[in-house]
Amino acid sequence: MNRFEGGGNREARIRYLDGDYQILTAGSHVPCAITGVAIPVDELRYWSVARQEAYADCAASLEADKRAGILPNQSRG
């Protein structure tokens, strides 16, 4: 699906799969679960299958894993 196949400027509904995703409702973007920023569907690269969430970048994905208890919180210093 590309930006010319409909969806306008509305939020897409997506089912996140291992290595792929399925568009349930056409849209132009999905929200990042950590930052809230709109991620264009054609630029979507990071998501969690278990939590069914999208992430804007690898830093947001890492933060989501920390919040979920998958990774230990690391302090800098």
Side-chain angles (χ1 to χ4, degrees), residues 1-10 12 21 23 25-28 41-42:
M1 182 168 150
N2 64 44
R3 71 183 86 200
F4 303 111
E5 291 179 4
N9 190 28
R10 63 177 194 219
Y21 54 84
I23 297 176
T25 303
S28 61
V41 171
D42 58 350

Side-chain angles (χ1 to χ4, degrees), residues 12-36:
R13 271 190 50 232
I14 294 181
R15 179 176 173 224
Y16 301 101
L17 308 169
D18 287 328
D20 201 4
Y21 54 84
Q22 177 184 19
I23 297 176
L24 303 175
T25 303
S28 61
H29 65 277
V30 292
C32 174
I34 299 299
T35 66

Side-chain angles (χ1 to χ4, degrees), residues 47-76:
W47 62 81
S48 167
V49 174
R51 294 184 297 276
Q52 291 294 293
E53 298 177 333
Y55 308 112
D57 53 32
C58 62
S61 176
L62 179 64
E63 180 61 28
D65 284 348
K66 286 180 182 177
R67 290 181 185 184
I70 294 171
L71 300 174
N73 288 321
Q74 298 177 6
S75 60
R76 294 180 182 174

